[in-house]
Amino acid sequence: MSEESVTSNEVSPEVQHEAESQGWVPKERFRGNESDWVDADTFVKRGREILPILRKNNENLIKDLQATKDQLKDFREAAEEFKKFQRESYERKAQEYESQIREIKESRAQAISDGDGQKVNALDDALDQAKENFKEAKQFVKDVVSAKDPEPTPEAIDPGLQAWLDRNTWFGQDKRLTGMVNGIGESLRLEFPLLKGQAFLDKLDEVLAEEFPNKFGKKQSPSSRVESGSGRQSRSGSNTQSYDNLPPEAKSACDRFVKQKLMTREQYVADFDWT
């Protein structure tokens, strides 16, 4: 009888049950590379070493998920508030144009009564423009009411990470291996906190090649770097109608809209009801 068989036979039922509950299978049922199989005792020991790391990693994932949910909630609330602000702004403009139309008609009637043909012609042009503006404002109100709320723009996945996932299609499918790799990855982050992006993925591939030579030994991860830039433009005004002169609640609304990239500060100030 081989030493391996003796060791396998000496494993207690409790250890074997614990191993099987974590995904371990006997060698005759193991479908991966034979060299990757370990006995139940070794499997449990590795699991106990990695489990605290996985638990911590899971806590971090839950925190990230909750943060994403909170951001989405904030965006939707801001989008709904922004939609209301836009509707009220266009309704107010429509009312202003409607009043302007009435005033022009009254002035035109007086000009006709006075026999001032030149003024009548000028008021005809102004009346046509006011009617067009009124029509556009009413259409904007209709469009805002019927428009669907904008969806937040998802953050683009890092190209290097996407390339790594494309090469390692087993990740997320093979739950046992995914769990072990997540544990290794978390260990690397603790050991090499300055490793980021492609450098981290290269180090992860190096460790995986050492731990699982038959599965990862021949793989090399190509380096890829993507540079991105962002610029901001800002304008400041010294008019009475300015951000600094907004009421506190309006400033808060403006900040939310700007944060969610729904409009600029200048646009909010221009559309705000200063009456």
Side-chain angles (χ1 to χ4, degrees):
M1 182 177 295
S2 67
E3 182 179 348
E4 182 180 2
S5 299
V6 172
T7 302
S8 178
N9 292 334
E10 291 177 352
V11 175
S12 67
E14 292 80 8
V15 171
Q16 182 164 335
H17 177 73
E18 182 179 352
E20 289 177 343
S21 68
Q22 296 177 12
W24 178 86
V25 294
K27 193 170 186 178
E28 60 270 15
R29 290 166 49 198
F30 186 69
R31 296 184 179 181
N33 292 327
E34 186 175 338
S35 59
D36 290 337
W37 183 87
V38 294
D39 58 54
D41 188 50
T42 302
F43 185 89
V44 170
K45 288 180 180 178
R46 286 186 181 178
R48 289 172 180 172
E49 292 172 356
I50 294 176
L51 188 58
I53 299 174
L54 293 180
R55 185 179 295 114
K56 182 63 177 178
N57 189 49
N58 188 51
E59 290 175 359
N60 292 337
L61 291 175
I62 292 175
K63 289 180 181 178
D64 291 343
L65 179 60
Q66 186 59 49
T68 300
K69 288 181 177 179
D70 291 341
Q71 290 173 2
L72 182 59
K73 180 175 179 289
D74 291 343
F75 178 87
R76 286 175 173 166
E77 289 177 351
E80 186 61 32
E81 188 178 2
F82 175 68
K83 187 175 180 179
K84 180 175 179 289
F85 174 81
Q86 275 192 317
R87 188 189 70 248
E88 292 176 349
S89 175
Y90 289 129
E91 286 175 344
R92 188 168 59 252
K93 289 180 179 179
Q95 290 172 358
E96 291 173 358
Y97 290 134
E98 194 171 22
S99 297
Q100 190 179 59
I101 290 172
R102 285 196 300 268
E103 292 173 1
I104 293 174
K105 285 182 176 180
E106 292 174 359
S107 298
R108 182 176 181 277
Q110 185 62 47
I112 293 174
S113 178
D114 295 341
D116 190 344
Q118 187 175 2
K119 187 174 182 180
V120 170
N121 291 335
L123 289 172
D124 282 341
D125 292 338
L127 184 60
D128 290 340
Q129 185 61 54
K131 287 181 177 179
E132 184 65 26
N133 292 339
F134 175 75
K135 181 180 178 181
E136 289 181 358
K138 295 295 287 184
Q139 184 61 46
F140 278 130
V141 172
K142 182 179 179 181
D143 292 343
V144 169
V145 171
S146 61
K148 294 181 179 179
D149 291 337
E151 291 297 326
T153 303
E155 295 292 333
I157 189 170
D158 178 75
L161 175 59
Q162 186 60 61
W164 190 90
L165 292 172
D166 290 341
R167 292 196 308 275
N168 298 277
T169 54
W170 51 267
F171 192 84
Q173 303 297 322
D174 187 330
K175 297 189 182 301
R176 174 173 173 267
L177 186 56
T178 297
M180 295 179 69
V181 172
N182 279 336
I184 292 172
E186 195 64 27
S187 296
L188 288 176
R189 293 189 189 281
L190 295 175
E191 187 177 356
F192 305 101
L194 298 181
L195 278 183
K196 304 290 182 182
Q198 189 61 46
F200 173 81
L201 295 173
D202 289 343
K203 185 63 177 178
L204 178 61
D205 282 339
E206 179 184 329
V207 174
L208 292 179
E210 294 175 357
E211 294 290 334
F212 308 100
N214 291 334
K215 187 172 184 63
F216 300 103
K218 295 182 180 180
K219 289 191 175 182
Q220 296 181 350
S221 59
S223 298
S224 62
R225 292 181 173 84
V226 175
E227 296 180 356
S228 61
S230 61
R232 294 183 178 178
Q233 296 181 345
S234 62
R235 294 179 296 173
S236 60
S238 59
N239 296 331
T240 302
Q241 295 183 356
S242 66
Y243 172 82
D244 291 335
N245 291 330
L246 287 171
E249 65 276 9
K251 278 187 179 180
S252 298
C254 177
D255 292 341
R256 286 193 293 274
F257 298 164
V258 172
K259 178 181 178 181
Q260 299 296 344
K261 295 181 173 58
L262 295 171
M263 70 187 319
T264 65
R265 180 181 288 185
E266 290 78 9
Q267 288 172 332
Y268 184 92
V269 170
D271 291 342
F272 182 70
D273 183 9
W274 292 97
T275 58

